[in-house]
Amino acid sequence: MKIAFFEMKEKWEIEYMKKHLKNHRLFFFSGELNKNNAKNFRDFDIISIFIYSNITPDVISELKKTKAIITRSTGFDHVDIKSCDRNKIKVYNVPRYGSNTVAEYAFALVLALARKIIRSNERVRNLDFSLDGLRGMDIKGKTLGIVGLGEIGACVAEIARGFGMNILVSTKIKDPKTAKSLGFRYVNFNYLLKNSDIITFHVPLLPSTKHMLNSGNINLVKKGALLINTSRGEVIETETVIKALNRGIISGAAMDVLEGEELIKDERELLFKQHSHEELKAALEESVLAEHENVIITPHNAFNTQEALQRILDVTIQDVRFAIQNKKENTVKCE
Ligand code: NAD
């Protein structure tokens, strides 16, 4: 099989793939697959990407021989699944590689916000040891609202239980046994917004989850709540977060993902290329948010541990084998 790996640049990853997929012709590219370079990959059987390759119908129409696209991520919102279906391309993902990894990161963000850790550290870097403005909030006894209880959301619930929090969950499919064993209560989304001190998002990006938190429902949020997003940027309307911070509806936000993050990876590029209104809006919103003292933004880093990366490679190798055998395991469907 002729297989292309995009967005793979670390030597150990490349060596690992070569060792475990010996009988195939492997090609590695540090950049993304996109509509400008897709025509060079017409004769590849399998394409593997990470989250910054935007697989649009334009890209798919060039991949004449491709039977499978493997995204080395859980989220697959960067791949046009319907168009892949039409072109008989199976799409595989990597489920469950980092449920604890992302949940631990979400909690790191909870604690960093609640205890003002980043601001405290910045203060000491400037040799200022005063405590003014650094008073935080206890986590124990507070209510955590988890939006989307799948693999990651369930790990978040487990961690929250250890901290002695009350847990509310709004999710699509309910399972009373899980609620009992993890000690949480299922509620609807509006109830969760009204009653949570901290709200954390763990839904995939789908048409039904795009802008779940928006200008129409932000006023329901409990005054002074903290907002955490490690799912996908588009789940929360950024403009609404900025307004909610300015009006004191929320008292802080920690975002590992932001709307349009793929377009604003390198802000310097904004000076040299033509950009749409959406791209410029996303860039501007990011800098307004980043300057807010109660906001923490990280660069889509929640998955990034050595252990999780190793699991991603192992499942990707498994996905290559599934694809060759035309198996359905780890394939994804659109909503
Ligand atoms: P999962 O599929 O196991 O869980 C998602 C849950 O959301 C499911 O239980 C589903 O029923 C629920 N859901 C779907 N639509 C919903 C809706 N409209 N309202 C409420 N709930 C809904 O996925 P997961 O492994 O827990 O991952 C969740 C998301 O986290 C991924 O899709 C991905 O976008 C994101 N993620 C981010 C990082 C990162 O580095 N920041 C890493 C991994 C995953």
Side-chain angles (χ1 to χ4, degrees):
M1 291 278 163
K2 198 170 173 187
I3 310 175
F5 291 89
F6 291 88
E7 305 177 72
M8 192 175 274
K9 40 187 164 245
E10 292 190 28
K11 205 170 162 225
W12 72 274
E13 294 181 297
I14 295 173
E15 293 307 320
Y16 195 78
M17 295 320 253
K18 283 183 181 167
K19 184 176 163 199
H20 291 272
L21 294 170
K22 273 195 185 121
N23 301 327
H24 305 286
R25 292 162 66 205
L26 309 184
F27 297 81
F28 298 92
F29 304 94
S30 57
E32 295 133 31
L33 174 63
N34 57 44
K35 63 175 191 254
N36 301 322
N37 62 12
K39 60 179 179 301
N40 304 326
F41 302 96
R42 282 182 182 151
D43 62 338
F44 277 75
D45 302 290
I46 297 176
I47 300 274
S48 171
I49 52 168
F50 190 51
I51 55 174
Y52 296 110
S53 294
N54 193 10
I55 308 303
T56 58
D58 287 351
V59 173
I60 294 160
S61 66
E62 295 288 358
L63 304 176
K64 308 275 186 230
K65 212 181 153 216
T66 303
K67 290 277 167 285
I69 293 176
I70 299 171
T71 181
R72 301 188 303 281
S73 57
T74 306
F76 48 87
D77 44 276
H78 52 299
V79 182
D80 189 316
I81 307 292
K82 276 189 187 149
S83 179
C84 286
D85 270 359
R86 278 196 297 275
N87 288 277
K88 308 223 173 332
I89 297 176
K90 281 200 168 68
V91 180
Y92 295 79
N93 76 340
V94 179
R96 292 179 298 278
Y97 73 83
S99 314
N100 69 295
T101 309
V102 178
E104 287 167 19
Y105 196 89
F107 243 87
L109 294 178
V110 169
L111 293 171
L113 265 189
R115 301 305 303 271
K116 303 188 180 5
I117 306 279
I118 310 277
R119 245 201 279 172
S120 301
N121 182 241
E122 278 166 3
R123 179 104 29 119
V124 172
R125 273 179 193 275
N126 293 324
L127 299 178
D128 176 353
F129 289 80
S130 73
L131 296 181
D132 294 345
L134 295 185
R135 186 155 304 149
M137 165 181 108
D138 274 0
I139 295 297
K140 186 175 178 183
K142 294 293 185 309
T143 298
L144 178 72
I146 301 175
V147 185
L149 193 105
E151 299 287 339
I152 297 171
C155 283
V156 169
E158 240 178 295
I159 298 174
R161 205 165 50 140
F163 274 90
M165 302 187 80
N166 307 312
I167 308 165
L168 301 177
V169 168
S170 168
T171 196
K172 212 169 166 183
I173 301 157
K174 300 183 182 64
D175 171 21
K177 271 196 201 145
T178 311
K180 198 169 171 207
S181 70
L182 291 177
F184 64 75
R185 195 151 61 90
Y186 286 115
V187 295
N188 66 39
F189 186 50
N190 286 353
Y191 185 95
L192 180 146
L193 295 181
K194 283 181 198 160
N195 292 283
S196 303
D197 301 297
I198 301 169
I199 303 167
T200 183
F201 285 83
H202 301 288
V203 285
L205 175 61
L206 302 166
S208 65
T209 59
K210 184 167 182 190
H211 288 174
M212 266 186 108
L213 189 65
N214 55 51
S215 56
N217 57 18
I218 191 76
N219 286 319
L220 297 177
V221 172
K222 184 172 175 180
K223 193 168 166 54
L226 299 176
L227 209 63
I228 314 290
N229 192 8
T230 55
S231 63
R232 283 291 181 267
E234 283 73 11
V235 168
I236 298 181
E237 198 176 38
T238 315
E239 195 182 329
T240 296
V241 176
I242 296 172
K243 287 182 183 158
L245 282 161
N246 292 342
R247 291 183 197 148
I249 298 174
I250 58 171
S251 63
M255 325 285 250
D256 184 46
V257 288
L258 269 184
E259 279 195 278
E261 66 186 41
E262 66 288 355
L263 310 167
I264 49 179
K265 263 196 296 172
D266 186 349
E267 287 202 4
R268 282 164 302 183
E269 279 189 17
L270 289 173
L271 296 172
F272 307 115
K273 285 189 192 159
Q274 283 273 322
H275 291 281
S276 66
H277 171 74
E278 282 72 27
E279 287 168 337
L280 295 172
K281 185 169 180 279
L284 189 61
E285 285 173 346
E286 191 213 11
S287 28
V288 171
L289 261 187
E291 281 185 11
H292 202 288
E293 61 174 4
N294 295 333
V295 171
I296 298 170
I297 299 179
T298 57
H300 203 136
N301 189 36
F303 72 96
N304 191 15
T305 65
Q306 189 58 42
E307 294 84 350
L309 290 177
Q310 184 63 57
R311 288 191 290 266
I312 288 178
L313 294 190
D314 289 333
V315 180
T316 301
I317 291 164
Q318 211 178 49
D319 282 354
V320 168
R321 295 187 179 132
F322 288 152
I324 293 169
Q325 294 160 16
N326 202 21
K327 286 195 172 164
K328 280 196 176 151
E329 280 100 325
N330 292 354
T331 56
V332 300
K333 289 188 205 74
C334 47
E335 195 170 44

